[in-house]
Amino acid sequence: MLRRAGHSLGSRLCQRQGQLEPAVQGLKPSFAVAEEAVEGARDASTLLVKQRMKSVANIGKITKAMKMVAASKMRSAQVNTMNSRGIAEPLLKLLGDLPDAQGKKNVYVPITSDKGLCGGINTTVCKYTRASIKAEDGEDKEHSIVVLGEKGRSQLQRDLRASIHSTVADTGKVRVTFAQAAAIADGINTTEFDVARLIFNRFHSAISYKPTIATVLSPDSLEKEAEAGGLLDQYEIEGPDRAELLQNLSEFNLASTLYNALMENNCSEQASRMAAMESSTKNAEEMLGKLTLTYNRTRQATITTELIEIISGATALAG
Amino acid sequence: MLRHAARGVCRAAGLRSVSSSTAAFQELNASEQSKKEFLSKFAAFQGTMNEPEFPSNFVKPVEKVENASVPDKLKFNFYIPSAAINQGSSVDLVLLPATTGDFGVMPGHVPTVAELRPGVVSVHNELDKDVTKYFVSGGFAFIHADSTTDVCAVEAVPLSDIDSDAVRAGLAEYTGKLASLQGKGDDYELAAAQAGVEVYSALNSALGL
């Protein structure tokens, strides 16, 4: 942008020099050139400010549109999210919520968005993921990460690249469905985990989304917990034998918890984007106001200086 | 079903209810302990972050009931991923299609975990008077000691919403596919065809075709 300004300055200098008044031509050339340079610079600066004003106004329009889109998406996502909370609840009541479950293979599933401009939710999830990994790390324990969402991958691969098992992108592209969650759960199962921890933002309201850690145990870990006096022992089993039932139960638990987590995070993403775009629009409006003032000031200064020149020139001729 | 009811009646006499409500409390304690342990480990790396939340923080805890008698109505919850069809409804009887056979749940039923096969779930709000039938594609049913029944299904549709022509066509298609794949074709395709036949046969019999 500076280069362009210099260009226009140069071209103006070449233009103006041919039109210099015969009376003024007698003045020292350096003085004439300096004055021309200053006048050209003033015009250039109003042009600069005008360009900046146009671009800031455009940005304001774009962010306002993005905010409205995010608000409408959040409204429909909110309904679906509230509906999705039911299916994971009975499993939670039966199998318990055991974030400190000990196992050899720990898998962490941070759920993030693919697109940016959504505030700080992805950074939050990654921070909690890193802290959880460090908290639950141990002597004979392994950990691996299955990242959901491009933003999470780009953040975590900086220091945890070796631990990333796989990445899943485009989860929310069309619509989050249970079949999708089941397919992702199948992929997570290939890591043969003992304990899986899902880290996501749980939606509370349009301005509140809290990082939440949901734990899912493998069939073997469930068996261990049941033997240690868990609830499962008190129940009769109508179905396949205990081992197969625990396997199916664990897979179903993972799929439904993942489905709920995906919906919650999607809703939180829209809410966060709405808030981020709102503050962006406000900033753009503020900046536009300040630039308008600068523009007017510059414009008025140019006019005043021209008037002074004319008047002083006329006075010099008269006197 | 009679065997279950008899067992339920025998068990309902006093002792079971105390031990199982304490067991539910036990599970709650295990969860609380685990959460506390985790948070204490997390604190070392917390920095300026807030404490993380856990899903069980948002679920109403099971109240400890001392010496509860058998309630007259069943508390019924019916969930699918996209909705909660029933939440806390009081019903008389629920018929469930388990993989080991159909069975009915009335208040006082033995605590059970049942895996469901594709079939019909009948909800009797009033015994034999107000009945709603749903076809479920599969899932789980949990009957707790305090006569709360949770059914989690992957898909559930009211029987009235099912098109009999589509069912007939689907059954014919999958039976044909299974027949042509016998012996050849990879395991996945075979399993998919078998699942298709199972679901469509169940739909067929559910509609009485």
Side-chain angles (χ1 to χ4, degrees):
Chain A
M1 207 148 99
L2 277 169
R3 225 184 324 129
R4 244 191 291 151
H7 224 269
S8 65
L9 199 62
S11 60
R12 288 216 178 187
L13 277 175
C14 299
Q15 270 181 358
R16 289 292 206 94
Q17 263 178 353
Q19 299 165 12
L20 272 177
E21 293 237 89
V24 190
Q25 246 172 5
L27 284 167
K28 271 201 214 148
S30 59
F31 182 73
V33 171
E35 213 176 74
E36 284 307 297
V38 174
E39 203 168 273
R42 265 184 250 120
D43 270 13
S45 76
T46 56
L47 197 68
L48 277 174
V49 177
K50 197 136 204 224
Q51 280 173 347
R52 197 153 159 71
M53 275 169 66
K54 212 191 280 188
S55 76
V56 169
N58 277 339
I59 289 172
K61 280 190 215 140
I62 293 170
T63 53
K64 191 165 179 192
M66 284 183 78
K67 182 190 98 169
M68 290 200 269
V69 167
S72 75
K73 281 196 183 164
M74 186 196 81
R75 239 172 285 129
S76 68
Q78 198 169 349
V79 176
N80 290 333
T81 305
M82 296 301 167
N83 284 336
S84 78
R85 284 184 180 166
I87 195 158
E89 214 176 277
L91 290 153
L92 200 62
K93 283 198 279 189
L94 181 73
L95 304 169
D97 190 8
L98 305 162
D100 194 43
Q102 300 295 310
K104 187 158 178 290
K105 278 196 133 192
N106 296 283
V107 145
Y108 295 86
V109 186
I111 302 178
T112 57
S113 65
D114 291 316
K115 302 210 194 99
L117 297 177
C118 53
I121 52 166
N122 295 325
T123 317
T124 313
V125 165
C126 294
K127 275 201 284 190
Y128 277 84
T129 309
R130 287 198 190 96
S132 305
I133 292 176
K134 289 197 200 121
E136 286 292 336
D137 212 0
E139 279 256 316
D140 50 347
K141 289 199 210 160
E142 309 165 12
H143 62 258
S144 69
I145 309 176
V146 176
V147 195
L148 266 62
E150 278 295 323
K151 290 289 157 191
R153 185 186 65 88
S154 55
Q155 283 197 33
L156 289 171
Q157 72 173 7
R158 269 193 245 129
D159 53 342
L160 293 168
R161 191 192 284 254
S163 314
I164 296 182
H165 175 270
S166 48
T167 315
V168 180
D170 286 344
T171 45
K173 195 154 188 184
V174 184
R175 207 164 46 103
V176 180
T177 58
F178 190 79
Q180 203 181 66
I184 300 173
D186 261 347
I188 299 175
N189 275 326
T190 61
T191 60
E192 290 173 3
F193 61 89
D194 290 312
V195 185
R197 294 186 179 85
L198 282 65
I199 304 128
F200 59 99
N201 294 94
R202 192 176 191 276
F203 180 81
H204 290 277
S205 75
I207 49 169
S208 158
Y209 7 93
K210 303 217 177 99
T212 309
I213 303 179
T215 316
V216 175
L217 303 175
S218 72
D220 297 328
S221 308
L222 279 175
E223 184 69 59
K224 255 201 295 180
E225 295 292 333
E227 278 166 17
L231 203 49
L232 208 53
D233 256 345
Q234 271 109 28
Y235 286 76
E236 287 271 329
I237 297 179
E238 291 283 348
D241 63 339
R242 174 105 152 207
E244 203 183 318
L245 178 86
L246 282 180
Q247 170 99 357
N248 293 342
L249 208 56
S250 161
E251 286 178 13
F252 188 69
N253 192 13
L254 182 60
S256 15
T257 313
L258 188 61
Y259 176 74
N260 176 241
L262 282 167
M263 301 241 67
E264 300 268 2
N265 201 63
N266 182 42
C267 198
S268 307
E269 179 198 333
Q270 301 301 343
S272 186
R273 183 166 293 129
M274 196 177 80
M277 292 297 101
E278 161 78 53
S279 63
S280 253
T281 317
K282 230 193 303 197
N283 285 344
E285 280 168 17
E286 211 181 286
M287 208 185 282
L288 192 62
K290 284 201 199 133
L291 282 170
T292 313
L293 289 173
T294 319
Y295 176 72
N296 284 331
R297 237 182 296 132
T298 322
R299 192 178 48 87
Q300 285 162 356
T302 320
I303 295 170
T304 313
T305 331
E306 259 182 68
L307 281 171
I308 291 174
E309 284 172 15
I310 295 168
I311 292 170
S312 54
T315 328
L317 282 170
Chain B
M1 195 160 116
L2 276 170
R3 193 165 27 101
H4 281 274
R7 229 191 303 177
V9 167
C10 295
R11 293 254 209 134
L15 223 62
R16 175 181 61 87
S17 40
V18 176
S19 63
S20 44
S21 60
T22 45
F25 213 65
Q26 198 183 345
E27 190 64 57
L28 184 73
N29 273 345
S31 295
E32 291 297 319
Q33 224 176 338
S34 191
K35 283 191 269 184
K36 244 194 272 199
E37 269 292 316
F38 183 82
L39 285 173
S40 63
K41 284 188 196 167
F42 192 82
F45 308 98
Q46 207 171 321
T48 54
M49 298 188 271
N50 288 331
E51 282 183 347
E53 298 279 352
F54 303 102
S56 54
N57 294 353
F58 307 104
V59 171
K60 255 196 305 183
V62 160
E63 285 133 24
K64 189 173 183 180
V65 190
E66 289 284 2
N67 265 337
S69 58
V70 177
D72 355 301
K73 289 237 183 192
L74 211 57
K75 204 153 139 240
F76 183 54
N77 297 317
F78 190 5
Y79 299 118
I80 52 174
S82 53
I85 301 179
N86 284 70
Q87 178 115 19
S89 330
S90 297
V91 303
D92 275 334
L93 166 74
V94 183
L95 293 166
L96 299 168
T99 47
T100 51
D102 289 3
F103 72 106
V105 185
M106 292 188 86
H109 196 280
V110 167
T112 309
V113 173
E115 191 178 315
L116 302 175
R117 65 165 204 278
V120 178
V121 169
S122 298
V123 183
H124 291 238
N125 292 333
E126 287 254 347
L127 201 55
D128 287 333
K129 285 188 216 133
D130 179 9
V131 187
T132 328
K133 293 195 186 177
Y134 301 93
F135 183 83
V136 299
S137 66
F140 283 92
F142 309 101
I143 302 141
H144 302 287
D146 56 356
S147 289
T148 311
T149 308
D150 297 316
V151 178
C152 297
V154 178
E155 268 294 351
V157 282
L159 274 188
S160 46
D161 286 356
I162 301 178
D163 179 12
S164 34
D165 292 325
V167 171
R168 269 186 275 254
L171 185 58
E173 182 193 336
Y174 275 96
T175 331
K177 245 191 239 181
L178 189 61
S180 71
L181 277 174
Q182 282 301 341
K184 47 190 163 95
D186 61 88
D187 284 333
Y188 180 77
E189 285 178 25
L190 203 60
Q194 276 172 337
V197 170
E198 192 185 342
V199 174
Y200 276 103
S201 317
L203 272 167
N204 210 9
S205 53
L207 292 175
L209 296 171

